[in-house]
Amino acid sequence: QKEVEQNSGPLSVPEGAIASLNCTYSDRGSQSFFWYRQYSGKSPELIMSIYSNGDKEDGRFTAQLNKASQYVSLLIRDSQPSDSATYLCAPGEGYALNFGKGTSLLVTP
Amino acid sequence: DTGVSQDPRHKITKRGQNVTFRCDPISEHNRLYWYRQTLGQGPEFLTYFQNEAQLEKSRLLSDRFSAERPKGSFSTLEIQRTEQGDSAMYLCASSLVGENSPLHFGNGTRLTVT
């Protein structure tokens, strides 16, 4: 079963700062990763996907994948209070994955 | 693409009763997953289908839980003889087959067992 580990936080950053969320994974064969955002009481929603080593940027979000070190990260630039949520990472074909608690992010005004 | 639909949104039941939830996936998605989530925890995998075949079921899943996807479209999750510990959000997700296919989640069904 594919496993990931994330620091559960809470990670607190001031508005306008860069939030950095990290995820390590156990399966060297994982080729793709997804980041989901989950607001309290809501279901997870996909915000970023990354399929190859390196960086992928989408607006204020940048996903970084390092297969050699088996970690994937999500950077949120110009953090806004509306970014306050729990962020979950998951590998592709990770259907049997228990997501873990994710990382709780709090952006303070 | 109307998204993943779950019904009901909320269910309150008394301990010992049976409950059934329904999930309608995105129409072209052949994979369908069920997860359970309690407060402060991430989604916990329960089971998944590819078309009508149930390919994997969590070893932690009690035999009071059963899921079906009879025609490879919608799915039902039934919990028999509910217990207070079954109170949780039940999430359904769907996807295409393949490593590059993310999960698309429904809004969930919140179960409260009194």
Side-chain angles (χ1 to χ4, degrees):
Chain A
Q1 195 176 67
K2 299 186 179 185
E3 300 291 341
V4 297
E5 286 193 15
Q6 293 181 256
N7 185 331
S8 62
L11 173 66
S12 183
V13 300
E15 184 175 357
I18 295 175
S20 177
L21 309 169
N22 300 311
C23 172
T24 58
Y25 59 93
S26 60
D27 184 356
R28 284 193 170 276
S30 295
Q31 298 296 314
S32 58
F33 285 86
F34 306 105
W35 281 97
Y36 299 86
R37 177 177 62 199
Q38 187 173 25
Y39 292 114
S40 180
K42 303 295 185 182
S43 60
E45 59 176 328
L46 179 71
I47 56 170
M48 282 289 285
S49 56
I50 185 163
Y51 305 120
S52 58
N53 259 345
D55 296 359
K56 179 183 176 184
E57 187 174 320
D58 183 1
R60 296 186 297 111
F61 298 96
T62 298
Q64 299 174 320
L65 175 58
N66 183 322
K67 293 183 182 179
S69 300
Q70 294 180 240
Y71 84 83
V72 59
S73 62
L74 179 69
L75 300 178
I76 306 175
R77 290 181 300 281
D78 187 24
S79 296
Q80 301 295 309
S82 59
D83 295 326
S84 298
T86 297
Y87 291 81
L88 305 163
C89 76
E93 289 283 351
Y95 47 81
L97 180 74
N98 290 331
F99 281 79
K101 296 181 181 181
T103 298
S104 174
L105 173 66
L106 177 63
V107 181
T108 55
Chain B
D1 178 358
T2 57
V4 178
S5 176
Q6 291 188 247
D7 184 70
R9 293 293 304 275
H10 303 275
K11 178 70 177 178
I12 301 174
T13 192
K14 292 185 177 179
R15 188 177 53 188
Q17 298 295 304
N18 298 345
V19 294
T20 300
F21 309 141
R22 176 179 170 125
C23 173
D24 287 88
I26 293 172
S27 57
E28 61 267 29
H29 286 181
N30 40 15
R31 282 194 175 165
L32 186 150
Y33 315 78
W34 286 99
Y35 290 85
R36 175 174 62 192
Q37 187 173 26
T38 54
L39 194 63
Q41 302 297 316
E44 174 193 13
F45 172 78
L46 295 179
T47 188
Y48 95 101
F49 294 82
Q50 183 161 314
N51 300 314
E52 66 275 10
Q54 186 174 19
L55 296 189
E56 188 158 346
K57 187 174 175 181
S58 170
R59 282 176 236 144
L60 301 177
L61 197 61
S62 160
D63 56 11
R64 295 184 297 105
F65 287 70
S66 62
E68 294 182 341
R69 194 183 183 197
K71 297 182 180 178
S73 56
F74 74 91
S75 175
T76 57
L77 177 68
E78 181 183 19
I79 308 174
Q80 297 182 325
R81 305 181 303 281
T82 52
E83 301 173 357
Q84 287 188 318
D86 297 331
S87 296
M89 175 77 86
Y90 289 83
L91 296 167
C92 177
S94 69
S95 78
L96 296 170
V97 174
E99 174 121 20
N100 292 345
S101 300
L103 302 181
H104 296 258
F105 286 87
N107 288 327
T109 293
R110 182 166 296 282
L111 173 66
T112 302
V113 181
T114 62

